[in-house]
Amino acid sequence: MIPPVQGLFSTAPQKAFFVIHLTGNHLSYKDNNDDEYTQALPNDDDYDRSVHHVDNLLKQIIAEAEKEFG
């Protein structure tokens, strides 16, 4: 997900409006879980791990926006 966002941000004009649609937690909660989240949150359930995944993705997108647009 992040490479397309990086490309979009790096080629956009300084004033731009972006809509990034994320599936978030609407799919099966297990879809957003992998070994990283299972190990990082061993006592949490699939829903909590899915929220953690989406939070991390949003943090990465915000960091890219701040890097490109200050």
Side-chain angles (χ1 to χ4, degrees):
M1 172 61 154
I2 295 304
V5 171
Q6 289 171 326
L8 181 65
F9 286 176
S10 68
T11 60
Q14 192 61 23
K15 290 188 177 186
F17 179 79
F18 299 95
V19 176
I20 300 172
H21 182 259
L22 302 175
T23 58
N25 299 321
H26 299 293
L27 302 173
S28 170
Y29 300 139
K30 290 184 182 227
D31 289 346
N32 286 334
N33 288 326
D34 58 23
D35 290 337
E36 175 188 352
Y37 296 111
T38 301
Q39 291 174 2
L41 305 164
N43 298 322
D44 289 350
D45 59 14
D46 289 335
Y47 174 78
D48 291 333
R49 290 184 195 120
S50 181
V51 169
H52 185 73
H53 170 81
V54 172
D55 286 350
N56 283 336
L57 183 58
L58 290 171
K59 286 177 188 176
Q60 291 176 30
I61 291 171
I62 291 167
E64 286 299 319
E66 289 174 345
K67 182 175 84 176
E68 290 295 332
F69 304 110

